[in-house]
Amino acid sequence: ILDIPLLVGYQFDLTNGWSLGLNGGVLVNIGLRTNGQVLHTLNDFKPIEKDKYHTTLGLGYRFGIDVEYALTPTFALGLNTRFTGYGKSFSSPYSNFRQNYLIPGIHLFGRYHFSF
């Protein structure tokens, strides 16, 4: 999955270097790579038929919450929890199955604040 995120967010200052952030927006999907095998029967796998999958998905969505602690006035460490979803099925209309995802994630990050 290759996405370009277009997100907006807001950060609330809490106390003693802590802050809380909210963010959300859309993902512009510009490519998918289909590779591997899929479950064919309850006990058997078969190679993916690439014509049964999309090469792009269009738009997805993402929203999340993060908590951050400022180690210095310019550098902070944080933890972001987010959900990413895609409204369109990964499989094409010609396949006999539908494949959608809602992907939860927890991400550790470092942030450097630039000042001009």
Side-chain angles (χ1 to χ4, degrees), residues 23 63-66 79-83 105-107:
N23 59 70
F63 60 92
I65 299 172
D66 59 70
L79 190 66
N80 173 266
T81 59
R82 67 181 174 208
F83 289 92
I106 297 175
H107 305 271

Side-chain angles (χ1 to χ4, degrees), residues 25-75:
V26 297
L27 304 170
V28 179
N29 179 258
I30 60 172
L32 294 177
R33 181 176 168 212
T34 54
N35 185 348
Q37 297 185 347
V38 294
L39 192 61
H40 179 62
T41 65
L42 288 177
N43 300 315
D44 188 32
F45 287 87
K46 71 174 188 173
I48 285 178
E49 298 173 39
K50 293 189 180 214
D51 63 334
K52 292 190 175 182
Y53 288 88
H54 291 290
T55 55
T56 62
L57 290 175
L59 295 178
Y61 56 90
R62 177 178 292 161
F63 60 92
I65 299 172
D66 59 70
V67 62
E68 181 178 303
Y69 180 72
L71 297 172
T72 70
T74 56
F75 184 74

Side-chain angles (χ1 to χ4, degrees), residues 71-115:
L71 297 172
T72 70
T74 56
F75 184 74
L77 287 177
L79 190 66
N80 173 266
T81 59
R82 67 181 174 208
F83 289 92
T84 302
Y86 298 93
K88 185 177 180 182
S89 174
F90 281 59
S91 50
S92 77
Y94 306 110
S95 65
N96 59 355
F97 58 90
R98 191 163 163 76
Q99 191 174 359
N100 291 80
Y101 292 100
L102 176 62
I103 306 165
I106 297 175
H107 305 271
L108 180 65
F109 66 90
R111 185 183 324 242
Y112 184 82
H113 297 271
F114 293 94
S115 59

Side-chain angles (χ1 to χ4, degrees), residues 4-40:
I4 297 173
L6 302 170
L7 305 172
V8 295
Y10 189 80
Q11 194 166 1
F12 302 92
D13 287 330
L14 301 176
T15 61
N16 298 327
W18 290 94
S19 62
L20 178 71
L22 304 173
N23 59 70
V26 297
L27 304 170
V28 179
N29 179 258
I30 60 172
L32 294 177
R33 181 176 168 212
T34 54
N35 185 348
Q37 297 185 347
V38 294
L39 192 61
H40 179 62

